[in-house]
Amino acid sequence: DADVTQTPRNRITKTGKRIMLECSQTKGHDRMYWYRQDPGLGLRLIYYSFDVKDINKGEISDGYSVSRQAQAKFSLSLESAIPNQTALYFCATSDSVRDSQETQYFGPGTRLLVL
Amino acid sequence: SQQGEEDPQALSIQEGENATMNCSYKTSINNLQWYRQNSGRGLVHLILIRSNEREKHSGRLRVTLDTSKKSSSLLITASRAADTASYFCATDSRGSNYKLTFGKGTLLTVNP
């Protein structure tokens, strides 16, 4: 869905490097989420933000940080990347005002490889 | 922790057959959603069923929910090769403030 974009789409980095994954949305949604997907483990929530001034840890936040620069932008940073952070990362949005049932809309994903 | 667990992990059928996937969960929910993911791509919302609903239809999709058994099923009728994808259930648990917890998914392969 082009309404939620993620950059980069693919990234290879080395252990110890700091990297940032970016997410932008044009849906006007207030809520944004970062997930990681590992084979056989489904999606796990890293961080979520219910508005610009609200940041919350998810299930697996250690080693990650986020920034909600604007309602439309939510960035995920790996402060010092390690190989077990190799995964597929997804950004998602939802709208608490017009869609109280919390359907989420996903970006295309960022495939990250940490060597 | 995983709230939803899909069953089976993988399912292979022929085009035209029906596909049934199941999801079990552990805690009380506000609603349960099903999402589809084509290989390596983002998830796409398919259907949502509320805790006070027992069955819901959308095109070739039929979802049931049994809150007493804490389980849901997704039925895809008259399957097509294009239905090949992974299917995830996601639960919105009471008290979770509308965060979703996803299962591990069922990989459906529809053979032409």
Side-chain angles (χ1 to χ4, degrees):
Chain A
D1 191 327
D3 296 327
V4 184
T5 57
Q6 293 183 233
T7 56
R9 295 293 314 279
N10 295 280
R11 178 75 184 268
I12 300 174
T13 191
K14 294 182 179 180
T15 297
K17 294 291 187 181
R18 182 181 189 276
I19 66 164
M20 180 182 290
L21 309 182
E22 298 187 347
C23 176
S24 294
Q25 53 115 345
T26 58
K27 299 183 79 67
H29 289 175
D30 54 337
R31 298 184 171 190
M32 298 186 74
Y33 310 80
W34 275 105
Y35 294 90
R36 67 176 278 176
Q37 184 177 33
D38 299 273
L41 292 180
L43 274 74
R44 292 182 291 167
L45 183 63
I46 306 172
Y47 270 96
Y48 61 101
S49 169
F50 283 174
D51 65 44
V52 175
K53 297 181 181 179
D54 176 79
I55 301 289
N56 303 280
K57 293 182 178 180
E59 183 185 349
I60 51 163
S61 59
D62 287 349
Y64 301 95
S65 63
V66 292
S67 172
R68 185 84 184 264
Q69 302 95 321
Q71 187 185 40
K73 296 184 183 295
F74 193 34
S75 299
L76 175 72
S77 294
L78 284 67
E79 300 302 324
S80 179
I82 56 177
N84 76 1
Q85 291 178 313
T86 292
L88 188 52
Y89 289 85
F90 288 105
C91 173
T93 72
S94 66
D95 186 344
S96 69
V97 176
R98 288 164 290 183
D99 184 355
S100 62
Q101 295 163 356
E102 286 302 309
T103 298
Q104 294 189 10
Y105 299 85
F106 284 78
T110 294
R111 192 171 297 276
L112 175 66
L113 174 60
V114 183
L115 300 174
Chain B
S1 60
Q2 301 293 144
Q3 161 75 315
E5 291 286 342
E6 290 91 343
D7 171 58
Q9 291 186 348
L11 178 62
S12 181
I13 60 173
Q14 296 300 123
E15 215 167 19
E17 294 180 341
N18 295 342
T20 299
M21 290 159 272
N22 303 296
C23 171
S24 59
Y25 58 91
K26 299 174 183 175
T27 62
S28 296
I29 60 172
N30 295 312
N31 65 65
L32 184 145
Q33 303 178 39
W34 285 91
Y35 287 79
R36 165 194 169 128
Q37 182 184 33
N38 287 78
S39 181
R41 305 185 73 171
L43 280 71
V44 175
H45 174 77
L46 294 176
I47 194 166
L48 178 150
I49 186 164
R50 304 179 195 179
S51 60
N52 62 353
E53 297 176 315
R54 292 296 167 258
E55 187 171 313
K56 203 161 183 180
H57 297 254
S58 177
R60 293 185 295 113
L61 305 180
R62 172 178 169 253
V63 171
T64 63
L65 179 65
D66 186 336
T67 54
S68 67
K69 295 181 178 178
K70 291 186 169 61
S71 68
S72 173
S73 67
L74 171 67
L75 168 67
I76 304 174
T77 60
S79 64
R80 306 165 182 168
D83 294 328
T84 294
S86 291
Y87 292 83
F88 296 86
C89 68
T91 52
D92 169 11
S93 299
R94 290 179 187 170
S96 72
N97 200 11
Y98 298 110
K99 296 194 310 294
L100 295 181
T101 303
F102 287 83
K104 297 178 182 180
T106 292
L107 176 59
L108 172 66
T109 302
V110 181
N111 300 300

